[in-house]
Amino acid sequence: MAALLLAVLAAAAPVAPAASPEVRANVSALLNAFDRPVTPEAFAQLGPEGEAALAEVALSNDFAPRRARALEVLSVLKTPRAEEVHRAVAASGDAHWLVRRAAVLGLGRLLPAERAASELAPFLERDREPAVRAAAAEALAARAPAQACGVVRAQAARELAGNAARFRSALGACDRAGGARQ
Amino acid sequence: MRALPVLSTASLAVVLACNPSGSGSPGKADGEACSTAAECRSGLCFRAPGAAAAACASSEPAAAGECPPPGAQIITAGPAIDAPQPTSCQTPVRAPATNAGDIAFIDLGEAKVGDTLRFTLPSGTTSFSIVSQAVATPTVPGGTRPPSTIAFQSFSIPNSVVPTSVVHVPTGTQYYSDTEALPRIGPYLDATSVLAYYGGLSPISGAFTVPNTSKALDVALTAGELPSGEWSFVVNDFAFECLSVQGCFAPAGSNTSAYHVQVLVEQRPFTSTGALDVEVYLATSPASELRTASAAASDPQFQRWARSYASYLAKAGICVRNVTVHDLPSWVVGGTGYAPNGLLDVSGGGQGTPPGCDDLSQLFTLGLAQNRAVHLFMADALVAQTLGGFTVLGVDGSIPGPSGVPGTINGGAVVGVTGFLGGERTAGACSAGGAPNVVVCGTDALALVSAHETGHWLGLYHTTEFDGTLFDPLTDTASCPCLQCAPFALRSRCAERNPTGQPTFMLGSYCTGQRPRCGGARNLMFWLFDDRFAIGDTSRQQGDVMRRNPAVR
């Protein structure tokens, strides 16, 4: 699946430099800070090749936490290909929930409010993973509270009691934002 | 207070290597009499128990016992931690672990900052640890609760507790002062030649262990013990120091802060091996691979994690003996718990706002297994909302951890397990036998991360920090200074030249040389887990520091 995603993205994406083995290795290393967060600027210093390498990690069979971290970096840096990489991963049914959670949260950072509301709602309402549904709720509450807090609250009400904890953060954000109530 | 590094921009063309190594140089052979490690080819001058004098040696003798490293781990599900969910921030003062009677505790009671306390080390002492814990409602006359933070220039800094003026009274030898600057080699601080080092931030509670530098190890190993007799130190924290530092704002009460102080005295002889127990606490969701202690104890990947973890610590002469897994109260992973659904926000890094009240610190207060051990928490994933979402592989509450006094806000280390435990980049990678493979088996990668955090708990600092300007206090670990080791094109951004800008991050590929220069990427305590190189190596001195921690028996 990862190879297929890469092939599809390569065909559709604007021309971006491929990552050299050295940049690829350095990106992989920076995604592995033991106990000190590496700032987005450190990755930005690697330039377009760095973005290409991050996209490769995000779409690879690497360990889920590293793929998730690569997505976070891409979304914070808002690189040119970030949106399509996030979209591909979020739609990838066989990806680990931790990776798809990062993709959905990242889309919340990348998309304008109107599109976030429409594009993340399906993840909120239909994703099979509670963690991904909760991530969609969190992203919507942060990015598009006016448009989406109604559906966030509705979904939270539909969730099983065992999943309620996952929606607390989103509901709190909606309350603070004074978003629409149903 | 240790000043923030002010890096010289002059004379950078000639910069001496840090950590000049004492080993590998010409010198006396094993068995020849010595008075310091520098005389010995092996870098170790050691006085064995009962010996009349010290002699050069390649290592200390192995400990007598039944746990040669890596040992066979005994994994069990221990009693669940039972604690009601608190309604406010908890900063408890903890008592020694109930099973820690095989090590001497000296309870010095409550004291205020500025007070001089004294204790006596018996002959044969090989390490001691001073554990200080903030008292919220002091009973010592005039005592007040320590302030949370201080303001230094434009920075808000957690009010770290650290003893100062630590002195061996009979000889007048000062082992540590928190207000005196460290020596420098070129632009770099050099803590290898001082008798004690304290480099972390540990507000509210903290442990301080001697020996933890090359100099102190040499003094102690050459004598076969630390100096016996009376020692003194001044109860101290950053707020108290702040009162006499220009540009520092000390909150009210900074001169009356009260701490409860205990001293742990270790008399186990210097040996090249030791045994360690690990208490594991599960902050994981009901859907996790490690949903319960009993599930974890019988999980093949958890068992592999324990074996791999033990194999890394075995390189430091440590035998991991008992691995006891505990369930935490269910509210911990509930909506208002510290790790909702197993996602732990580590933004506070154990400091938080106010310090000690962040989820990570509060979680650590549940590390209540009554054992002189390392207390390792496992969450599903570590997240960092206030760090732009960027997460880390693990966090240790303090360096060193407060071994023997479980349940303080800095009394834990934590790793995120989901996606690593059982994660394979090639099919079957985590069911293969042989040595751990961190590149393809996530369980082994998790074990290396856990061993790294355990290294911090046992007193180790990063061999080289992220920007290549700060190094550990040991001479036999390679350092990797940015100006000497980064690619030429990136040296203009090195923090030595560019202290306020975005630094060059020291990648493993810059640090693959042999000691003493431009190395360290293979070391367990390199700042980065660069899996091209990381094999979890430790040096002899690192092993010595780890095995002197009271958690090791």
Side-chain angles (χ1 to χ4, degrees):
Chain A
M1 175 58 92
L4 176 62
L5 285 171
L6 274 174
V8 170
L9 287 176
V15 176
S20 68
E22 177 68 10
V23 169
R24 191 178 296 133
N26 290 343
V27 162
S28 178
L30 286 173
L31 290 169
N32 257 2
F34 271 118
D35 32 32
R36 170 184 287 276
V38 174
T39 59
E41 291 76 15
F43 293 93
Q45 284 180 357
L46 299 171
E49 279 191 64
E51 184 200 353
L54 284 164
E56 284 181 28
V57 172
L59 296 163
S60 72
N61 69 339
D62 207 332
F63 301 127
R66 292 185 2 167
R67 293 181 64 190
R69 207 164 295 127
L71 288 164
E72 287 175 339
V73 177
L74 287 167
S75 68
V76 170
L77 294 179
K78 296 184 166 46
T79 61
R81 297 179 65 217
E83 184 180 325
E84 63 184 288
V85 171
H86 277 73
R87 203 185 300 280
V89 173
S92 169
D94 60 353
H96 193 285
W97 67 262
L98 196 66
V99 183
R100 292 198 305 117
R101 174 183 177 274
V104 167
L105 287 172
L107 283 172
R109 293 190 193 100
L110 292 163
L111 297 175
E114 289 295 339
R115 283 178 55 205
S118 62
E119 294 193 26
L120 294 180
F123 292 103
L124 172 72
E125 295 174 333
R126 292 196 288 276
D127 199 280
R128 69 179 186 282
E129 288 286 351
V132 176
R133 296 197 297 274
E138 199 174 314
L140 285 166
R143 190 65 170 157
Q147 298 94 329
C149 276
V151 290
V152 167
R153 290 193 177 97
Q155 182 61 34
R158 281 195 293 272
E159 292 285 343
L160 298 173
N163 292 332
R166 301 178 192 271
F167 283 76
R168 184 170 172 269
S169 169
L171 293 175
C174 280
D175 288 345
R176 288 190 296 276
R181 291 179 179 276
Q182 284 191 340
Chain B
M1 182 189 309
R2 191 168 302 107
L4 296 174
V6 179
L7 301 172
S8 168
T9 56
S11 304
L12 291 177
V14 181
V15 176
L16 297 174
C18 283
N19 294 2
S21 173
S23 60
S25 55
K28 295 179 179 177
D30 288 359
E32 292 189 65
C34 57
S35 58
T36 178
E39 300 172 10
C40 298
R41 199 173 302 160
S42 65
L44 173 63
C45 181
F46 176 58
R47 182 179 180 184
C56 295
S58 53
S59 75
E60 304 101 306
E66 299 174 351
C67 195
Q73 291 67 56
I74 302 167
I75 303 172
T76 55
I81 302 301
D82 182 20
Q85 183 169 10
T87 55
S88 61
C89 176
Q90 303 294 298
T91 57
V93 174
R94 298 298 193 187
T98 53
N99 85 335
D102 54 343
I103 192 169
F105 274 83
I106 302 171
D107 190 345
L108 298 176
E110 281 186 32
K112 290 185 292 185
V113 290
D115 289 350
T116 297
L117 299 183
R118 296 170 189 275
F119 62 96
T120 299
L121 291 185
S123 177
T125 297
T126 52
S127 79
F128 68 85
S129 299
I130 300 171
V131 178
S132 308
Q133 301 184 70
V135 182
T137 52
T139 56
V140 60
T144 57
R145 180 181 194 148
S148 298
T149 59
I150 61 168
F152 182 59
Q153 296 172 349
S154 58
F155 299 99
S156 176
I157 300 173
N159 180 22
S160 191
V161 56
V162 51
T164 193
S165 301
V166 181
V167 171
H168 177 238
V169 175
T171 60
T173 305
Q174 178 173 280
Y175 265 64
Y176 185 72
S177 167
D178 201 53
T179 56
E180 293 178 10
L182 287 170
R184 287 180 180 272
I185 297 180
Y188 308 110
L189 298 171
D190 173 30
T192 64
S193 60
V194 297
L195 284 166
Y197 177 65
Y198 197 77
L201 288 173
S202 54
I204 298 173
S205 72
F208 173 92
T209 297
V210 174
N212 73 343
T213 67
S214 294
K215 173 79 170 176
L217 284 171
D218 189 18
V219 167
L221 286 162
T222 299
E225 61 181 7
L226 286 171
S228 58
E230 188 176 55
W231 288 67
S232 69
F233 66 94
V234 174
V235 179
N236 176 63
D237 62 14
F238 281 6
F240 186 62
E241 293 178 24
C242 191
L243 295 167
S244 53
V245 174
Q246 194 170 13
C248 192
F249 174 73
S254 292
N255 60 345
T256 52
S257 300
Y259 291 91
H260 193 109
V261 184
Q262 298 152 319
V263 181
L264 290 77
V265 180
E266 176 65 85
Q267 292 192 282
R268 190 168 42 85
F270 286 113
T271 56
S272 62
T273 58
L276 178 70
D277 288 349
V278 183
E279 303 290 339
V280 175
Y281 305 87
L282 299 179
T284 50
S285 78
S288 171
E289 299 97 320
L290 304 181
R291 59 195 174 280
T292 65
S294 57
S298 59
D299 183 284
Q301 285 305 309
F302 187 84
Q303 292 165 358
R304 182 186 178 100
W305 167 84
R307 285 194 304 274
S308 296
Y309 173 75
S311 75
Y312 290 121
L313 293 178
K315 296 184 178 192
I318 290 173
C319 167
V320 175
R321 187 173 49 188
N322 295 302
V323 178
T324 308
V325 193
H326 304 271
D327 292 318
L328 291 173
S330 59
W331 57 261
V332 168
V333 294
T336 58
Y338 303 143
N341 276 289
L343 301 182
L344 176 63
D345 189 336
V346 296
S347 299
Q351 317 299 328
T353 305
C357 294
D358 55 290
D359 285 340
L360 182 63
S361 301
Q362 292 294 287
L363 179 67
F364 287 160
T365 66
L366 297 175
L368 290 167
Q370 295 298 299
N371 194 2
R372 186 153 60 86
V374 167
H375 298 258
L376 179 65
F377 290 73
M378 291 186 171
D380 284 324
L382 309 184
V383 298
Q385 305 292 358
T386 62
L387 297 172
F390 289 90
T391 49
V392 292
L393 298 174
V395 180
D396 177 50
S398 57
I399 305 174
S403 302
V405 189
T408 68
I409 62 143
N410 292 319
V414 65
V415 294
V417 300
T418 293
F420 278 127
L421 193 78
E424 296 180 336
R425 297 183 69 185
T426 57
C430 287
S431 55
N437 188 334
V438 297
V439 176
V440 293
C441 174
T443 302
D444 294 341
L446 180 66
L448 184 68
V449 175
S450 305
H452 176 97
E453 301 307 333
T454 299
H456 283 315
W457 179 293
L458 298 178
L460 298 183
Y461 292 89
H462 289 162
T463 53
T464 292
E465 270 298 352
F466 71 105
D467 62 358
T469 65
L470 189 63
F471 315 100
D472 70 13
L474 304 175
T475 55
D476 70 347
T477 54
S479 58
C480 197
C482 186
L483 269 183
Q484 297 174 59
C485 305
F488 283 105
L490 299 178
R491 292 186 186 180
S492 63
R493 285 208 308 262
C494 284
E496 298 98 317
R497 286 182 176 160
N498 178 33
T500 58
Q502 177 71 20
T504 292
F505 284 78
M506 297 305 291
L507 299 171
S509 57
Y510 311 160
C511 306
T512 58
Q514 298 302 306
R515 63 187 173 82
R517 188 183 297 192
C518 298
R522 295 177 180 83
N523 194 283
L524 178 67
M525 301 311 295
F526 193 61
W527 80 278
L528 193 67
F529 176 10
D530 192 330
D531 63 13
R532 292 170 290 178
F533 314 107
I535 54 175
D537 272 352
T538 49
S539 73
R540 185 184 57 75
Q541 290 179 15
Q542 284 178 308
D544 281 332
V545 170
M546 295 166 83
R547 295 191 304 274
R548 284 307 99 202
N549 187 279
V552 179
R553 299 164 194 256

